[in-house]
C-alpha cells in the first residue's frame, strides 16, 4: 500500500540535513498528513523518508527580546492554536489554523508542512502573508531568511532546494502589535474540506481611529497565496465606513486571478473575493473595538 524504500528518523536539524545530503531522492516528513496521502494515492513511489517529527528543537512558539514571535515549523495546528503566545498576540492565526481539516489532522499536521507543501489553499498561508511572515531556512550552507511572498513559487512549488529545512517562522512586532485580524475559510462543507477561497484581513487603528494599517490576503485567489496591495493602499488613512467596505470589495476583485476548478468556477470565486473581503474587513474592525464600527 505504501511504497516506502527507506525511513530514517533525524535526531537533530543538522542530522536531517546530513541525511538529505547523503540521499538526493530523500524527502522530509513532519506530520505526514500530505506525504502519506500522496503515497497512498500512488502519486509518490519508492519513497525515501527522513522524519523530523520528533525534533523538539523544531517545536513550539516563543518571543525574542525584540518582540519577534518565533513559530517552529513542527508545531501542530492544535498546539499552535492553544499556545498562550498565539492566544495573546495572534489569536486570528490560531483561528485560521483551527479551520484545517478535522481534529485528527490538526493534532498531527504541522504549520511547517502546511507552508512547505506550497498549496494556495493552505489555511495558515493567507494570514502569514498578512503578517509579513519571514521564514528561516537551514541548509548545508547555513541559515537564510526569505519573505513568505518569495517562498511561494507556484502551485505546489516553494523556494527550497534539496537539503534545506524550514526551521522557523518569524513575525515582527511591527506586523502584529496593535493588530486585529480575521480569517474566513469558504468551503462546500463545514468540516474536513479544503478552502474554495480563504480570506485574511489584519487591521490596526491610528490614534484618531482611522485605519492606520490594513492587509488583505487570499488563498485560492491565484496560483499562490497573495496580498492585495492596491486595495490595502486605498484603505489606509481612511476612517471605517460602509463606503470603505464596498470599496475594498470592488478593488479586491480587480487584483486577484482565480481559476476554475471542480470546486468552483472563476466567476464564483471572484464573487467570493468581493464578499469575503468585505465580511473579513468588518469582522476584523469589530475586533479592534474601534469607533464607528
Ligand atoms: C484529511 C485531511 C484534511 C486536510 N485538510 C486541510 C485543510 O482543511 N486545510 C489545509 O490547509 N490543509 C489540509 N490538509 C493538508 C495537510 O494536513 C496540511 O497541509 C498540513 O499542514 C501538512 O503538515 P504535515 O506536517 O502533515 O506535512 P507533511 O506531510 O509531513 O509534509 C508536507 C510537505 O512539506 C515538507 N515539509 C514538512 N515540514 C518541512 C520543513 N520543516 N522543512 C521543509 N520541508 C518540510 C514535506 O517534505 C512535504 O513535502 C488536510 C490533510 C488531510 C489528510
Amino acid at each position: 500500500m505504501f511504497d516506502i524504500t527507506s525511513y530514517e528518523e533525524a535526531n537533530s536539524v543538522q542530522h536531517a540535513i546530513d541525511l538529505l545530503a547523503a540521499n538526493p531522492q530523500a524527502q522530509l516528513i513532519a506530520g505526514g498528513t500530505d506525504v502519506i496521502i500522496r503515497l497512498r494515492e500512488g502519486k509518490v513511489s519508492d519513497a525515501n523518508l527522513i522524519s523530523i517529527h520528533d525534533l523538539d528543537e523544531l517545536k513550539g512558539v516563543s518571543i525574542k527580546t525584540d518582540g519577534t514571535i518565533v513559530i517552529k515549523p513542527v508545531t501542530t495546528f492544535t498546539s499552535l492554536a492553544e499556545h498562550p503566545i498565539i492566544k495573546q498576540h495572534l489569536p486570528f492565526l490560531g483561528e485560521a489554523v483551527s479551520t484545517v481539516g478535522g481534529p485528527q489532522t490538526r493534532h498531527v499536521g504541522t504549520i511547517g508542512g502546511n507552508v512547505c507543501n506550497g498549496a494556495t489553499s493552505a489555511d495558515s498561508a493567507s494570514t502569514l502573508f498578512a503578517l509579513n511572515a519571514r521564514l528561516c531556512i537551514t541548509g548545508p550552507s547555513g541559515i537564510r531568511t526569505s519573505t513568505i511572498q518569495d517562498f511561494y513559487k507556484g502551485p505546489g512549488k516553494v523556494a527550497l532546494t534539496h537539503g534545506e529545512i524550514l526551521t522557523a517562522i518569524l513575525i515582527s512586532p511591527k506586523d502584529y502589535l496593535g493588530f486585529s485580524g480575521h480569517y474566513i475559510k469558504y468551503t462546500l462543507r463545514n468540516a474536513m474540506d479544503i478552502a474554495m477561497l480563504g480570506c485574511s484581513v489584519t487591521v490596526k487603528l491610528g490614534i484618531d481611529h482611522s485605519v492606520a494599517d490594513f492587509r488583505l490576503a487570499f488563498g485560492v485567489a491565484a496560483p499562490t497565496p497573495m496580498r492585495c496591495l492596491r486595495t490595502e493602499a486605498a484603505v489606509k488613512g481612511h476612517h471605517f465606513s460602509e463606503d470603505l467596505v464596498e470599496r475594498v470589495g470592488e478593488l479586491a476583485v480587480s487584483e486577484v486571478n482565480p481559476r476554475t476548478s471542480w470546486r468552483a468556477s472563476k466567476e464564483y470565486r471572484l464573487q467570493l473575493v468581493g464578499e469575503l473581503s468585505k465580511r473579513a474587513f468588518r469582522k476584523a474592525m469589530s475586533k479592534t473595538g474601534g469607533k464607528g464600527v
Side-chain angles (χ1 to χ4, degrees):
M1 185 177 172
F2 296 109
D3 189 3
I4 298 173
T5 301
S6 68
Y7 176 83
E8 292 181 275
E9 287 181 3
N11 54 36
S12 67
V13 169
Q14 190 54 53
H15 186 216
I17 291 168
D18 294 343
L19 289 171
L20 285 167
N23 185 351
Q25 309 305 324
Q27 72 160 316
L28 292 174
I29 177 166
T33 60
D34 283 320
V35 170
I36 296 296
I37 296 294
R38 286 206 292 269
L39 273 167
R40 195 188 61 186
E41 290 172 350
K43 289 179 183 159
V44 177
S45 54
D46 196 15
N48 292 255
L49 303 179
I50 294 169
S51 173
I52 52 171
H53 181 266
D54 290 330
L55 294 185
D56 286 341
E57 64 187 295
L58 290 183
K59 294 180 184 176
V61 183
S62 57
I63 302 195
K64 294 206 245 186
T65 46
D66 69 357
T68 302
I69 294 181
V70 182
I71 300 170
K72 294 298 184 80
V74 187
T75 308
T76 64
F77 296 118
T78 305
S79 342
L80 188 70
E82 289 174 357
H83 199 285
I85 292 174
I86 298 297
K87 282 186 165 171
Q88 182 181 352
H89 295 293
L90 297 173
F92 44 95
L93 178 62
E95 287 158 17
V97 301
S98 297
T99 68
V100 170
Q104 295 94 333
T105 312
R106 294 196 291 272
H107 282 316
V108 181
T110 68
I111 187 157
N114 204 223
V115 169
C116 290
N117 75 20
T120 182
S121 58
D123 281 309
S124 65
S126 43
T127 304
L128 291 176
F129 268 64
L131 287 166
N132 283 333
R134 285 169 297 130
L135 308 179
C136 276
I137 295 154
T138 308
S141 35
I143 300 174
R144 66 181 175 91
T145 309
S146 166
T147 62
I148 193 151
Q149 283 86 349
D150 286 342
F151 190 67
Y152 275 85
K153 291 293 180 200
K157 286 202 187 101
V158 293
L160 278 179
T161 56
H162 185 77
E164 288 190 318
I165 301 175
L166 172 65
T167 43
I169 299 168
L170 308 177
I171 320 280
S172 298
K174 69 175 175 47
D175 293 309
Y176 74 85
L177 283 181
F179 278 86
S180 297
H182 192 68
Y183 175 70
I184 301 177
K185 172 180 184 171
Y186 193 88
T187 52
L188 283 173
R189 298 183 304 170
N190 278 338
M192 296 294 286
D193 205 358
I194 300 295
M196 193 187 289
L197 196 85
C199 173
S200 191
V201 164
T202 61
V203 64
K204 182 179 181 174
L205 297 187
I207 27 178
D208 64 350
H209 293 273
S210 65
V211 180
D213 207 336
F214 171 76
R215 285 108 185 251
L216 174 62
F218 286 102
V220 210
T224 61
M226 62 167 291
R227 286 268 293 272
C228 290
L229 299 178
R230 279 186 282 122
T231 311
E232 294 178 8
V235 170
K236 286 181 211 169
H238 294 276
H239 281 88
F240 179 79
S241 68
E242 268 308 307
D243 282 349
L244 195 62
V245 172
E246 287 303 321
R247 190 149 168 68
V248 164
E250 280 161 27
L251 282 173
V253 170
S254 71
E255 288 202 71
V256 296
N257 180 26
R259 69 180 183 104
T260 295
S261 76
W262 67 266
R263 275 201 173 83
S265 66
K266 176 182 174 117
E267 291 72 24
Y268 188 43
R269 284 201 167 97
L270 285 172
Q271 181 151 4
L272 288 174
V273 164
E275 190 53 41
L276 296 194
S277 55
K278 293 193 286 185
R279 288 188 198 177
F281 183 26
R282 281 195 203 97
K283 192 78 186 167
M285 281 299 294
S286 74
K287 289 180 179 176
T288 67
K291 248 194 205 165
V293 180

